[in-house]
Amino acid sequence: MASALFCPAGRRATVALRLSLPPGPGHLLMEALSTSAALVALAEMGDKTQLLAMLLATRFRKPVPIIFGILVATIANHFLAALLGHSIAGVLTQDWFRYAVALSFIAMAAWTLVPDKIDEDAPLKAPSKAGVFVTTLVAFFLVEMGDKTQVATIALGARFDNLVAVTMGTTLGMMLANVPAVLFGEALAKKVPMRALQVGAALLFLLLGLWMIADLAGWIG
């Protein structure tokens, strides 16, 4: 309404003005949330943290505390990772840093294609009297340190200016990948083509990195 008062061309100018406005905060939040969830969910397929989730489910056979342990560990780990990425992006706003973030997504595409293995004994080193929840929390938090999904969360925190949405999205992606792993375990691993999912994740990381480079170079509007 206010736009029409200052647009002598009338309704057509008002419509054009509205179409030229940048997306609102709700759109940006959903973009950060959905992109983070999709990338991390696919990157987690066949990852060592998903293998750990299957191992914990096989050892303890108590899915509820395992799932809650994974949830709490992921929120804590990914919040710190997203905060780091967000802080770095806020300080280093030069184009070279944004290109570095884009290249990090391309590197993640290659890393996603590398299959993970896990030592069946090492991840479960926790106090013997600790409950299943605490054991899962400690093991999952430690194994996630330096993992590809944590690195992806840092890059997503640098890419999107929404710390909460990135943390929520990456946590959702982790739960989408790991809850079925806990509930169905080995049966899921035999039926789901993990390699195809890994290739899909690699393509998503590659496309996001290339899209960022094209945007920075001014090749897309």
Side-chain angles (χ1 to χ4, degrees):
M1 181 72 77
S3 300
L5 295 176
F6 297 95
C7 294
R11 175 178 286 181
R12 283 181 297 177
T14 303
V15 173
L17 177 62
R18 287 176 179 171
L19 291 176
S20 67
L21 290 175
H27 173 81
L28 297 177
L29 185 147
M30 289 305 300
E31 181 184 0
L33 182 65
S34 59
T35 301
S36 300
L39 286 175
V40 169
L42 287 173
E44 181 67 3
M45 294 299 175
D47 189 67
K48 63 177 179 289
T49 43
Q50 188 183 57
L51 299 179
L52 173 61
M54 293 181 181
L55 177 60
L56 290 166
T58 302
R59 291 286 182 88
F60 297 123
R61 300 186 183 280
K62 294 182 179 180
V64 174
I66 292 173
I67 290 172
F68 276 103
I70 292 172
L71 175 62
V72 175
T74 301
I75 291 174
N77 193 295
H78 285 198
F79 175 78
L80 295 175
L83 180 62
L84 175 61
H86 181 77
S87 300
I88 292 174
V91 175
L92 304 175
T93 57
Q94 295 87 349
D95 283 347
W96 69 265
F97 176 72
R98 297 168 67 191
Y99 275 110
V101 172
L103 291 175
S104 73
F105 280 112
I106 296 175
M108 283 296 303
W111 190 7
T112 301
L113 294 175
V114 179
D116 273 328
K117 296 181 179 180
I118 191 167
D119 185 348
E120 292 191 357
D121 296 321
L124 297 179
K125 290 180 180 177
S128 59
K129 294 184 180 181
V132 175
F133 170 79
V134 176
T135 301
T136 303
L137 174 63
V138 173
F140 214 86
F141 185 89
L142 293 178
V143 171
E144 181 68 3
M145 296 298 293
D147 190 62
K148 65 171 68 76
T149 47
Q150 187 193 48
V151 175
T153 303
I154 295 173
L156 288 163
R159 168 67 181 85
F160 294 105
D161 188 23
N162 195 318
L163 177 62
V164 174
V166 169
T167 303
M168 289 175 58
T170 56
T171 300
L172 175 61
M174 289 289 284
M175 300 312 291
L176 288 174
N178 286 304
V179 169
V182 172
L183 296 177
F184 305 108
E186 296 181 3
L188 181 69
K190 293 178 181 178
K191 293 184 178 181
V192 177
M194 294 293 180
R195 190 58 181 172
L197 292 173
Q198 289 174 341
V199 171
L203 288 175
L204 278 178
F205 279 116
L206 178 62
L207 289 174
L208 183 57
L210 293 177
W211 179 84
M212 288 183 64
I213 290 175
D215 185 45
L216 287 168
W219 298 336
I220 57 178

